[in-house]
Amino acid sequence: MTTHFRLVFTTCSNAAEARELAEHLITHKLAACVNVLPTVESIYMWEGELAHATESKLLIKTKSEKMNEVIQTIKKLHSYEIPEIQVVDIATGNLAYFNWMDEVLN
């Protein structure tokens, strides 16, 4: 089974920003569900230096036809200069859940 659903990953500077972004995506019907993992530790290179940050991770469930708007919304509302936006195709899963996503996102 091939689906037309996508899972988008992003991080936010804190849980409040993550919730605000999640609620915007849901209320504007850009995502059916957003999981907020309130605390993740991130280690990365930034401007030539090793950086450590405590962030919040979002797992955004949406449809492929909404991807451009989801990406633009993240870029517009995000506090980071270069926000993480990674998109994963959802190949298969629970058909009942996908039907629910279709209902919510129409």
Side-chain angles (χ1 to χ4, degrees):
M1 171 173 97
T2 303
T3 75
H4 59 278
F5 299 102
R6 304 293 178 263
L7 180 60
V8 182
F9 296 94
T10 193
T11 50
C12 293
S13 62
N14 57 57
E17 180 184 15
R19 280 192 292 278
E20 185 176 318
L21 179 56
E23 289 176 3
H24 182 93
L25 292 168
I26 296 295
T27 59
H28 288 84
K29 293 192 170 212
L30 297 176
C33 176
V34 179
N35 300 115
V36 178
L37 307 177
T39 306
V40 295
E41 181 181 1
S42 298
I43 303 168
Y44 55 95
M45 294 299 291
W46 183 250
E47 298 179 346
E49 300 288 329
L50 183 63
H52 293 256
T54 300
E55 300 177 296
S56 292
K57 186 82 159 179
L58 281 84
L59 288 72
I60 303 161
K61 292 103 175 207
T62 192
K63 295 168 101 171
S64 58
E65 58 263 25
K66 296 188 180 272
M67 281 313 311
N68 286 338
E69 197 170 355
V70 168
I71 290 169
Q72 291 310 312
T73 298
I74 293 170
K75 288 179 177 180
K76 178 182 169 190
L77 298 178
H78 212 285
S79 65
Y80 290 171
E81 179 183 340
I82 304 173
E84 169 196 6
I85 302 172
Q86 297 179 21
V87 180
V88 177
D89 292 343
I90 299 174
T92 190
N94 182 354
L95 183 57
Y97 188 82
F98 297 144
N99 289 337
W100 169 79
M101 286 179 67
D102 270 330
E103 288 176 29
V104 169
L105 294 173
N106 285 332

